[in-house]
Amino acid sequence: MKTILVPTDCSKEAIHALETAVVIARQTGASVQLLHVIQTAYDREYNSGSSIPKDMKEKLDYAREEVFSKLENIIKPFREKDIQIAPYIKMGSVFQQVSEIITKEKIDMIVMGTGGASGLLELLDGSNTERVVRYANCLVLTVARKINDFKLRKTVLATNFKDIPKAFISKLNQLQDSFGFELQILYVNTPLDYQTTFAIEKRLEAFLDKHEFKNYTTHIVDHYSVEDGITAFAKKTGADIIAMATHGRTGLAHLLDGSVTENIVNHADRPVLTFHS
């Protein structure tokens, strides 16, 4: 792992994410890019140096200087600990700028803060975090709260044995090489999609044959819902993070069905590592 991107709005949630990113960077030898996006309709003109109204340019220049000062203050304590962190300020939409940087800078992991969400607003509008989780083509770690002395000793890999790309497993293995964590492979059996133990074990065996895992244990649990089963298991075993593959979906299907991964991201009490497949 070489580069970690931390999008920030300078909130406490974003700072918690940066603290977690720094721990990962120290363990893996990666550098950290701290990104703040100033949202404006004049992003193309400003970024290209084209003509924009004078008063608007002055406002954007002032906003840029103010944000840069905030980022420098946030970064200072980490630089004193020999962590390589660089601040970036972009104009435009958060998702667009994050997407461009992922490609341009070959980002290996994004670490984002999320305060959690619920209700109609989440369902209709989503959030920048949800969009990145749904579509980013790199690892995304979401952090909901401050973690004192973050360590990565146990990781729950929640799976239905379908559609997990080998690239995700490869990246998990690389992370495991750096931290040496135990991988807990979890299947949640629910009343709505009930499978016999024999059938689950047969699918599990095929899944293990397909991928190269190391230092792992396997677990099958019964629960009323997949989301609650995953979070309950992670809490019971003291897992440090939950890892899941996510599927990009848009439109009515996403509004009606939602996504197990996004529900976990929004409501889990520990970091969630996702990879878009």
Side-chain angles (χ1 to χ4, degrees):
M1 184 172 297
K2 296 181 179 179
T3 311
I4 299 172
L5 176 66
V6 182
T8 182
D9 57 1
C10 302
S11 65
K12 64 179 182 179
E13 289 83 6
I15 293 175
H16 298 337
L18 177 60
E19 291 169 346
T20 303
V22 165
V23 173
I24 297 172
R26 184 181 290 115
Q27 193 72 21
T28 61
S31 63
V32 177
Q33 296 186 3
L34 188 63
L35 170 69
H36 181 91
V37 179
I38 298 174
Q39 301 188 65
T40 172
Y42 290 96
D43 56 299
R44 290 185 180 180
E45 292 84 354
Y46 189 93
N47 292 332
S48 65
S50 301
S51 177
I52 61 175
K54 183 179 179 181
D55 61 335
M56 179 56 66
K57 186 177 186 307
E58 289 176 350
K59 288 180 181 179
L60 292 176
D61 285 342
Y62 177 78
R64 188 182 184 91
E65 292 174 6
E66 189 175 36
V67 169
F68 185 79
S69 177
K70 287 182 179 179
L71 295 184
E72 284 293 315
N73 288 333
I74 291 171
I75 288 172
K76 186 177 179 181
F78 300 106
R79 279 185 175 158
E80 292 173 352
K81 298 178 182 178
D82 295 326
I83 300 298
Q84 185 180 347
I85 306 179
Y88 289 86
I89 301 172
K90 298 290 184 179
M91 302 284 180
S93 76
V94 174
F95 180 71
Q96 178 185 357
Q97 293 301 324
V98 168
S99 298
E100 290 180 2
I101 288 180
I102 289 173
T103 301
K104 183 179 179 181
E105 302 294 334
K106 298 181 180 179
I107 300 298
D108 297 295
M109 176 186 284
I110 299 171
V111 182
M112 297 185 72
T114 171
S118 61
L120 188 61
L121 184 62
E122 172 191 330
L123 186 64
L124 294 178
D125 294 338
S127 67
N128 288 316
T129 301
E130 285 177 332
R131 292 189 72 192
V132 172
V133 165
R134 201 180 306 159
Y135 298 113
N137 59 354
C138 65
L139 292 174
V140 179
L141 184 70
T142 54
V143 180
R145 59 182 177 82
K146 182 177 179 63
I147 305 171
N148 295 317
D149 192 26
F150 175 71
K151 289 183 173 64
L152 195 44
R153 293 159 295 197
K154 294 181 181 179
T155 296
V156 173
L157 173 60
T159 177
N160 59 3
F161 309 131
K162 300 177 183 177
D163 303 328
I164 290 191
K166 289 188 176 181
F168 184 25
I169 304 303
S170 175
K171 292 176 186 296
L172 269 180
N173 287 340
Q174 292 172 18
L175 205 57
Q176 194 176 33
D177 288 340
S178 296
F179 284 90
F181 58 76
E182 173 194 338
L183 187 65
Q184 301 173 326
I185 301 173
L186 172 67
Y187 180 89
V188 179
N189 200 19
T190 66
L192 289 177
D193 187 25
Y194 179 77
Q195 305 283 320
T196 65
T197 301
F198 176 78
I200 296 171
E201 289 178 344
K202 188 174 181 179
R203 292 171 61 195
L204 172 60
E205 184 179 353
F207 179 73
L208 295 175
D209 287 341
K210 183 178 179 181
H211 300 287
E212 296 182 3
F213 294 107
K214 48 192 173 183
N215 188 21
Y216 69 90
T217 55
T218 60
H219 307 267
I220 301 170
V221 300
D222 296 323
H223 214 285
Y224 291 110
S225 74
V226 174
E227 295 94 328
D228 290 343
I230 293 170
T231 54
F233 178 84
K235 183 177 181 179
K236 180 180 179 181
T237 63
D240 299 292
I241 67 172
I242 298 169
M244 304 178 69
T246 186
H247 310 278
R249 291 188 291 173
T250 58
L252 189 60
H254 181 263
L255 286 175
L256 293 178
D257 298 332
S259 160
V260 171
T261 304
E262 288 165 20
N263 287 338
I264 295 290
V265 166
N266 278 324
H267 306 295
D269 61 351
R270 65 204 66 227
V272 180
L273 182 70
T274 62
F275 185 82
H276 170 61
S277 62

